[in-house]
């Protein structure tokens, strides 16, 4: 065997070892692990990306038109009516490709939201749907044989909440719904059809909306400012929320070029003109700058909160010093003990109910006996009356027969006397 000399990197005495035990060394040449970001990019591009968007707003506010304009395509979808009994969610998934990047886009549309007379429970289908997607991912994550790399992640990454351009204040439905959803999804408030109010009214409306959201404790999604490259842009955009947008797929000729716009008798509102609306800002923040942060926030914040609450309901806690297996055994024993306790309670309850039923049957039996005795007495009394009546009738009958016999004898005697007199 050949001996191998292992050379250790020299450690300078003037550099103390950090408390973590990790030493910092300087490389004397190029190694190659600086290509890790490129490797991640290539892997991500080959696998493709997933983005799930919930568009929430009242019927007729322009949700479908806004989605078509955002992604510059025509998504199929029929218009919904205003007479639905409750809120429903329609989910449609599309495969999109731009350059060499593939995106699996899922659009979730709220149908019938805000159309009911009683709107107190309008948010429940939304909360249930978002929780259901979290539950599906959690079930896949807890499987023994997982396949998360092939799993279609259906968790909602962003919610565009379309606000009616009233120019006054938010509706109570908007505040209640956003309050229920702010811990489950990234909410971006958007003023729809903003071309229906003037610029001065629009600025006042924006300030009013943000003031009401803050005063009611509604937490909307804030564009991240920890990345220096986009910190200034995101900080500026945070101050311009909610975005006031106009959606349209109609092409109108303005000057020498065709642009997406809405044509009115008094003029043209250009969708991609920042002087007319905030559509460009919304698309920039939603798709071009912060899409990955929304995906990461959904996983690291909203899903983690759901996961933690679920595991705590199951009895798992980070404060316990027991291993997962011991925790499972402990919870199983507690569950079995609880089942035994419930079984004993049910048995005792069954015994009590049997005794109560026996007491009821005994009372019913006594009552029946009492009724029987009463009937028996009544029967005896009636029988005695009938016997007395019968005896009376028999006596009368005997008396009648005696009188009849006497009458017959008297009549016979009278007849014989008359016949004797005639013979003489």
């Amino acid at each position: 065997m050949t001996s191998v000399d292992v050379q250790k990197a020299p450690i300078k005495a003037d550099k103390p070892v950090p408390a973590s035990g990790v030493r910092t060394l300087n490389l004397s040449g190029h190694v190659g692990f600086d290509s890790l970001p490129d490797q991640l990019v290539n892997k991500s591009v080959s696998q493709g990306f997933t983005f799930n968007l919930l568009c929430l707003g009242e019927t007729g506010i322009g949700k479908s038109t806004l989605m078509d304009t955002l992604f510059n395509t025509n998504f199929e979808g029929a218009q919904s009516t205003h007479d639905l009994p409750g809120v429903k969610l329609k989910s449609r998934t599309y495969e999109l490709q731009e350059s060499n990047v593939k995106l699996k886009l899922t659009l979730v549309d709220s149908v019938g939201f805000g159309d009911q007379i009683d709107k107190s429970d309008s948010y429940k289908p939304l909360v249930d749907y978002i929780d259901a997607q979290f539950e599906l991912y959690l079930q896949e994550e807890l499987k023994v044989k997982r396949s998360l790399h092939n799993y279609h992640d259906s968790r909602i990454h962003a919610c565009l909440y379309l606000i009616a351009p009233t120019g006054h204040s938010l509706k109570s439905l908007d505040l209640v719904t956003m309050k229920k959803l702010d811990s489950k999804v990234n909410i971006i408030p958007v003023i729809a059809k903003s071309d229906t109010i003037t610029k001065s009214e629009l600025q006042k409306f924006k300030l009013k909306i943000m003031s009401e959201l803050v005063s009611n404790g509604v937490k909307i999604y804030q564009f991240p400012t920890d990345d220096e490259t986009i910190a200034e842009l995101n900080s500026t955009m945070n101050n311009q929320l909610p975005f006031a947008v106009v959606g349209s797929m109609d092409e109108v000729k303005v000057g020498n070029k065709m642009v997406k716009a809405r044509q009115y008798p008094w003029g043209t509102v250009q969708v991609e003109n920042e002087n007319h609306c905030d559509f460009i800002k919304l698309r920039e923040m939603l798709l071009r700058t912060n899409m990955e942060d929304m995906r990461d926030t959904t996983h690291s914040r909203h899903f983690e909160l759901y996961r933690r609450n679920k595991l705590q309901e199951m009895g798992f806690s980070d404060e316990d010093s027991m291993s997962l297996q011991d925790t499972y055994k402990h919870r199983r024993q507690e569950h079995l003990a609880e089942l035994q306790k419930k079984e004993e309670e049910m048995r005792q309850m069954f015994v009590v109910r049997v005794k109560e039923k026996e007491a009821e049957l005994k009372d019913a039996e006594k009552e029946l006996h009492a009724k029987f005795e009463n009937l028996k007495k009544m029967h005896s009394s009636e029988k005695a009356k009938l016997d007395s009546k019968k005896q009376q009738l028999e006596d009368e009958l005997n008396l009648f027969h005696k009188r009849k016999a006497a009458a017959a004898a008297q009549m016979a005697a009278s007849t014989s006397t008359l016949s004797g007199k005639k013979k003489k």
Side-chain angles (χ1 to χ4, degrees), residues 66-88:
L66 179 60
M67 291 300 100
D68 292 346
T69 313
L70 268 177
F71 294 95
N72 199 20
T73 187
N74 288 312
F75 299 109
E76 72 275 7
Q79 293 184 353
S80 61
T81 60
H82 290 268
D83 56 356
L84 295 177
V87 181
K88 296 183 179 179

Side-chain angles (χ1 to χ4, degrees), residues 98 118 121 149 172 184 240 250 294 302 335 337 394 401:
E98 189 174 33
D118 183 7
D121 295 336
H149 59 285
S172 58
K184 298 178 179 295
Q240 297 191 21
D250 298 334
M294 292 180 188
H302 302 303
H335 182 64
E394 288 178 352
H401 284 305

Side-chain angles (χ1 to χ4, degrees), residues 4-156:
V4 180
D5 295 334
V6 180
Q7 295 181 354
K8 297 181 179 180
I11 301 175
K12 296 183 180 180
D14 56 345
K15 290 186 177 181
V17 179
S20 61
V22 180
R23 297 179 174 86
T24 302
L25 299 178
N26 295 323
L27 301 178
S28 58
H30 183 262
V31 176
F33 58 78
D34 59 349
S35 66
L36 272 174
D38 298 331
Q39 297 176 35
L40 288 175
V41 170
N42 294 333
K43 181 180 178 181
S44 299
V45 169
S46 64
Q47 290 180 347
F49 299 89
T50 301
F51 189 66
N52 306 319
L53 183 62
L54 170 62
C55 193
L56 182 56
E58 299 179 4
T59 305
I61 204 169
K63 301 186 292 295
S64 300
T65 304
L66 179 60
M67 291 300 100
D68 292 346
T69 313
L70 268 177
F71 294 95
N72 199 20
T73 187
N74 288 312
F75 299 109
E76 72 275 7
Q79 293 184 353
S80 61
T81 60
H82 290 268
D83 56 356
L84 295 177
V87 181
K88 296 183 179 179
L89 294 173
K90 287 185 179 180
S91 174
R92 302 185 301 274
T93 302
Y94 307 93
E95 293 280 354
L96 306 180
Q97 183 169 351
E98 189 174 33
S99 299
N100 64 332
V101 178
K102 296 179 180 179
L103 178 66
K104 182 179 285 187
L105 175 67
T106 299
L107 297 179
V108 182
D109 184 18
S110 59
V111 181
F113 180 74
D115 291 341
Q116 295 74 35
I117 296 177
D118 183 7
K119 302 179 178 62
S120 57
D121 295 336
S122 296
Y123 66 89
K124 287 185 178 180
L126 306 169
V127 173
D128 294 341
Y129 180 84
I130 295 174
D131 285 344
Q133 311 317 307
F134 283 154
E135 183 64 25
L136 289 174
Y137 191 88
L138 180 61
Q139 292 299 326
E140 182 66 27
E141 192 180 59
L142 294 177
K143 284 182 179 179
V144 176
K145 187 178 180 180
R146 300 184 299 178
S147 57
L148 290 175
H149 59 285
N150 294 326
Y151 176 75
H152 174 56
D153 186 4
S154 59
R155 296 172 297 176
I156 301 298

Side-chain angles (χ1 to χ4, degrees), residues 6-7 40 55 79 82 101 120 123 166 177 185 233 242 259 266 276 281 285 303 315-316 374 379 407:
V6 180
Q7 295 181 354
L40 288 175
C55 193
Q79 293 184 353
H82 290 268
V101 178
S120 57
Y123 66 89
T166 60
T177 304
V185 68
L233 174 63
V259 296
W266 46 263
H276 292 182
K281 297 174 183 177
M285 293 294 100
F303 173 70
F316 297 100
N374 290 333
H379 176 71

Side-chain angles (χ1 to χ4, degrees), residues 223-254:
F223 304 119
T225 57
D226 50 355
D227 188 351
E228 295 180 357
T229 58
I230 58 174
E232 184 177 355
L233 174 63
N234 282 349
S235 179
T236 303
M237 291 297 110
N238 283 331
N239 295 328
Q240 297 191 21
L241 288 173
F243 294 129
V245 301
V246 177
S248 176
M249 291 296 289
D250 298 334
E251 297 282 345
V252 178
K253 187 174 183 181
V254 177

Side-chain angles (χ1 to χ4, degrees), residues 405-421:
Q410 186 177 1
M411 186 177 291
S414 299
T415 303
S416 62
T417 303
L418 289 174
S419 61
K421 285 180 179 183

Side-chain angles (χ1 to χ4, degrees), residues 262-279:
R262 295 182 66 86
Q263 186 73 47
Y264 294 98
W266 46 263
T268 303
V269 177
Q270 300 179 31
V271 173
E272 297 182 347
N273 189 334
E274 294 191 35
N275 293 323
H276 292 182
C277 69
D278 297 332
F279 176 79

Side-chain angles (χ1 to χ4, degrees), residues 322-356:
M322 295 184 294
S323 64
L324 183 62
Q325 184 177 3
D326 294 337
T327 304
Y328 172 75
K329 289 182 178 179
H330 179 67
R331 287 291 299 170
R332 185 172 183 274
Q333 292 174 356
E334 287 183 350
H335 182 64
L336 291 175
E338 186 176 354
L339 287 178
Q340 291 177 356
K341 182 179 178 182
K342 288 184 178 180
E343 184 180 358
E344 185 63 27
E345 290 178 354
M346 292 180 67
R347 186 180 292 109
Q348 295 295 333
M349 188 180 299
F350 177 75
V351 171
V352 171
R353 289 186 177 179
V354 168
K355 290 181 178 179
E356 290 177 353

